[in-house]
Amino acid sequence: MTVQVSASTIPNLEDLGVISTLEGQDAHLLSLLNHCQTLAIQAIEPDTTALLKQLRDRAARWVKTLTLPTKRDEDWRFTDLSPLWQVDFQTAESQGEIAESVATEFALPEASIRLVFVNGIYAPHLSAITDLPEGLVVSNLAQLPVAYRSKVGNYLAQQPGSAEVFTALNTASLTDAAVVWVAKNQQVETPVHLLFISTVSKTPIVSLPRCLVVAESGSNLTLVEEYRNHRCGNDAQKIYFTNTVTEIVLEENAQVSHTRIDQESKGAFHIGKSAIAQSRYSRYIGNAITFGSKLSRHHLEVFQTGEGTETTLNSLALIGGEQVADTHSAIVLNHPNGTANQLHKCIIDDRAQAIFNGKVFVPQTAQFTNASQLNRNLLLSSKARVDTKPQLEITADQVKCAHGATVSQLEADDIFYLQSRGINAVNARELLLDAFAAEIIKGIPVASMRQKLTRCVACRTF
């Protein structure tokens, strides 16, 4: 069934007087919704499915009942969003001008399969999705094979948390989206690279990238999801807003190794949501590297929906200046014999601020759970700040769970030891920082990405 969608389908909020009755950030949110939806309607194909329209309309209704969070909200009390809603963002109407060499520069040699989006808009001329192995579908949502179009409705915007304000804003504007689908028992040896590039313009823009990954039972996939600025040089301070949502579904006995890189402009805002649903005996390995924006927040939620499920989360935030990097995670176990291991590390310099709030829920039904959570922070400046809050909520009886957090500085004894071996003080300091970060980076399964990140860490080793 198809429906005709036109710009008149969704009422203009200004015409309805909705915005005029609101002030401050709430009016800003509705104005942003209006911009995003209008552009989405203009961009979509006329045969857009009824399902997609229903998802957008439902999400838009949610957004209209919500407000942007403030520091009065418990989950946001360490993160001041006021700089975000003080900027009047416009939606990107096109991909802008970007050379093919840029995508080539960011390409990973091991990942011959690449899907590229510029300002949230699919860029087929920069992508490489020919000669896909049997059982693997990698496509923009609009070009998805017919056989899969009816299936995506079972997964898009279906996970808990879909009504959260930034997630709903993304769904309300849903047009282009990266879809990766692995068929039953398929072992995909080639990594899949999802590359989201933001360009800059005279007017600050907002982009709303979306990803859906489905790993059917017994399948295996390596995925790299990368968000980055067009250039690292002159445009590195430019302002834009990236609001992302990634949904990953692992069916029984499937395995997904997922690396997420956030390397945006130092003037940008980046708010990302990763929602993972794991069926029994599945294995999810997540690696998240944040070099930070002006303000970045990654909200990671994992739901174990079957017994014997394994979850591994490793992440690193490396920030300086006046950057803010916020990581909120929740692992929800609800069945016996599940495991969850999380290690989050931060290197913070200058006046930067890192925030970590990690929750692990072990209810009565999650007997024989084995869970650990550790947050380690390295402060390089007396003005650097970290707010950390690891949490375990356990009501099950027979479990093995531990959590903790450490905050420290570079130890003078360690530097002195290296100096005694002929290494000068500057190099000794860099060596220790590299080693601190390497514990996370070494777990990334794509060699060229490991090398690239190692160079980035070294570049930022002061």
Side-chain angles (χ1 to χ4, degrees), residues 186-305:
Q186 294 299 316
Q187 310 296 304
V188 182
E189 297 181 358
T190 303
V192 175
H193 188 194
L194 305 181
L195 177 59
F196 299 89
I197 302 173
S198 292
T199 63
V200 295
S201 63
K202 295 180 181 178
T203 303
I205 60 171
V206 56
S207 63
L208 302 116
R210 186 85 178 209
C211 306
L212 173 66
V213 179
V214 179
E216 294 187 0
S217 60
S219 63
N220 192 327
L221 173 71
T222 299
L223 178 73
V224 178
E225 177 189 354
E226 184 176 8
Y227 299 90
R228 61 171 307 133
N229 183 29
H230 180 191
R231 300 187 182 95
C232 295
N234 295 333
D235 293 336
Q237 302 296 328
K238 295 296 184 180
I239 300 173
Y240 57 87
F241 175 28
T242 306
N243 178 26
T244 81
V245 175
T246 297
E247 298 166 294
I248 300 178
V249 179
L250 293 86
E251 296 186 349
E252 183 176 334
N253 203 33
Q255 174 169 317
V256 173
S257 178
H258 175 209
T259 299
R260 185 184 194 278
I261 311 294
D262 164 15
Q263 195 167 9
E264 303 271 26
S265 156
K266 292 296 181 293
F269 300 88
H270 180 104
I271 294 182
K273 169 75 170 290
S274 299
I276 319 298
Q278 292 187 248
S279 298
R280 64 175 186 167
Y281 305 125
S282 64
R283 294 168 297 282
Y284 173 78
I285 304 105
N287 298 290
I289 308 295
T290 299
F291 289 116
S293 314
K294 175 183 177 63
L295 187 157
S296 64
R297 165 134 168 170
H298 183 209
H299 196 169
L300 174 60
E301 295 180 341
V302 181
F303 301 93
Q304 295 190 354
T305 62

